[in-house]
């Protein structure tokens, strides 16, 4: 508990300092580079400190820390993408969700430190705000976003966001599969997109995205489908803590797109 309090205070102090720096920059016209979406001269929290205090943090082979936000409008397949990502990076963990940056990250009904998980699910779409808020904690922050109907239908919040190098946008139609035999192909396609988009950080031939990772993702999505079947007939207020899916009352239409 004492270690948790120290880390929380440290996080609050760093965030406060960062906000002051951001305010000064905005007054003097120093804006974020729209091509790289990187904040110049912002000092990140030492990744070694995070690793020592939050043992679950995963780093690349160069010991660079990272976090992934799966941020999507509702009903565009975000839960599917979140569980695919968790299958890749933390296959046995419960889903972590955040309403807004002003709310805590919640996992299995408990507030957690964001550094203790790798993937966070959210419907909050101000990606630039999320980046400014959490980039000081990690060497890089990624966004995987599902959209429906192309960027023209994504709304003003995501306008231009898919062009940034740390943002991967997925059309929700790419998540549809009609039988279990098609699911491995969907996973492989998503994983290849992730690998190619973020190779600037993970490197060529990243070991984080091996066949084993794809197998873990497949197993998790299979388990999610089984859990969805078990929730049939339950209230829509009932949520599965691991997968973030809800009950489906009798007579409700079954949807492959999650």
């Amino acid at each position: 508990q004492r270690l948790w309090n120290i880390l929380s205070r440290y996080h609050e102090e760093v965030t406060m300092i960062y906000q002051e720096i951001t305010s000064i920059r905005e007054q003097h016209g120093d804006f974020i580079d729209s091509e790289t979406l990187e904040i110049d001269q912002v000092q990140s929290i030492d990744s070694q400190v995070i690793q020592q205090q939050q043992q679950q943090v995963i780093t690349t082979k160069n010991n660079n820390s990272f976090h992934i936000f799966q941020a999507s409008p509702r009903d565009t397949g975000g839960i599917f993408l979140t569980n695919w990502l968790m299958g890749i990076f933390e296959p046995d963990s419960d889903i972590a969700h955040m309403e807004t940056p002003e709310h805590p990250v919640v996992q299995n009904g408990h507030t957690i430190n964001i550094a203790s998980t790798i993937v966070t699910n959210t419907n909050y779409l101000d990606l630039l705000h999320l980046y400014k808020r959490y980039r000081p904690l990690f060497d890089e922050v990624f966004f995987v976003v599902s959209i429906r109907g192309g960027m023209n239908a994504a709304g003003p919040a995501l306008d231009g966001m898919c062009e940034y190098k740390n943002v991967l946008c997925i059309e929700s139609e790419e998540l549809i599969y009609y039988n279990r035999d098609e699911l491995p192909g969907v996973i492989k396609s998503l994983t290849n997109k992730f690998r190619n988009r973020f190779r600037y950080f993970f490197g060529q031939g990243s070991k984080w995205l091996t066949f084993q990772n794809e197998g873990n993702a497949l197993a998790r999505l299979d388990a999610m489908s089984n859990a969805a079947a078990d929730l049939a007939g339950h209230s829509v207020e009932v949520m599965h803590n691991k997968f973030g899916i809800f009950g489906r009352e009798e007579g409700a239409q079954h949807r492959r797109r999650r």
Side-chain angles (χ1 to χ4, degrees):
Q1 182 63 42
R2 182 173 178 272
L3 184 59
W4 172 267
N5 291 336
I6 292 173
L7 182 60
S8 297
R9 289 197 298 271
Y10 186 36
H11 181 189
E12 292 172 357
E13 291 174 0
V14 171
T15 300
M16 181 179 65
I17 293 171
Y18 171 74
Q19 290 174 340
E20 292 176 355
I21 293 173
T22 300
S23 176
I24 293 173
R25 287 183 169 183
E26 291 177 348
Q27 293 175 16
H28 293 277
D30 184 7
F31 297 104
I32 293 176
D33 184 339
S34 62
E35 294 183 357
T36 63
L37 194 61
E38 291 183 351
I39 301 173
D40 298 332
Q41 307 301 321
V42 175
Q43 181 64 42
S44 298
I45 292 178
D46 187 355
S47 61
Q48 292 183 356
V49 173
I50 296 177
Q51 291 171 34
Q52 292 171 0
Q53 298 183 350
Q54 301 291 342
Q55 294 298 318
Q56 294 182 29
V57 170
I58 283 187
T59 60
T60 66
K61 61 184 179 181
N62 296 323
N63 291 324
N64 294 322
S65 63
F66 63 94
H67 193 79
I68 305 169
F69 282 100
Q70 195 293 298
S72 298
R74 296 186 184 278
D75 298 321
T76 59
I79 287 296
F80 182 94
L81 281 180
T82 299
N83 281 284
W84 157 65
L85 286 167
M86 294 188 71
I88 294 289
F89 291 102
E90 44 184 351
D92 298 321
S93 297
D94 290 346
I95 195 169
H97 179 78
M98 182 184 68
E99 291 292 335
T100 72
E102 285 67 43
H103 290 80
V105 179
V106 176
Q107 186 179 56
N108 198 14
H110 301 287
T111 298
I112 64 168
N113 189 302
I114 196 169
S116 68
T117 188
I118 303 163
V119 180
T120 298
N121 168 269
T122 186
N123 298 118
Y124 184 79
L125 300 179
D126 189 343
L127 306 190
L128 194 56
H129 184 195
L130 288 172
Y131 188 85
K132 288 181 178 180
R133 182 71 176 266
Y134 293 105
R135 173 59 177 80
L137 297 175
F138 304 96
D139 293 306
E140 185 59 290
V141 173
F142 300 101
F143 300 92
V144 177
V145 182
S146 56
I147 57 176
R148 180 180 298 174
M151 284 307 300
N152 291 333
L158 294 177
D159 186 27
M161 289 293 103
C162 294
E163 299 177 5
Y164 296 141
K165 69 177 184 178
N166 63 332
V167 179
L168 172 63
C169 290
I170 304 292
E171 174 60 50
S172 64
E173 295 298 315
E174 299 180 46
L175 308 181
I176 296 176
Y177 61 98
Y178 295 97
N179 57 66
R180 168 61 173 71
D181 293 338
E182 294 179 354
L183 182 55
V186 173
I187 293 172
K188 180 175 290 294
S189 175
L190 293 173
T191 306
N192 284 337
K193 288 178 180 291
F194 188 100
R195 180 186 292 111
N196 292 332
R197 186 67 171 177
F198 302 140
R199 68 174 58 181
Y200 75 91
F201 183 82
F202 291 97
Q204 187 75 24
S206 172
K207 294 181 179 179
W208 300 107
L209 301 175
T210 63
F211 289 117
Q212 180 179 353
N213 295 115
E214 293 182 16
N216 290 338
L218 177 61
R220 184 176 178 100
L221 290 171
D222 276 340
M224 184 182 76
S225 294
N226 293 333
D230 292 338
L231 286 174
H234 288 75
S235 167
V236 294
E237 301 299 323
V238 176
M239 188 187 82
H240 195 290
N241 286 326
K242 182 171 183 177
F243 304 114
I245 55 178
F246 291 85
R248 188 177 68 254
E249 295 176 344
E250 294 292 346
Q253 183 180 3
H254 176 67
R255 304 176 66 181
R256 292 188 183 91
R257 184 189 291 116
R258 300 173 175 86

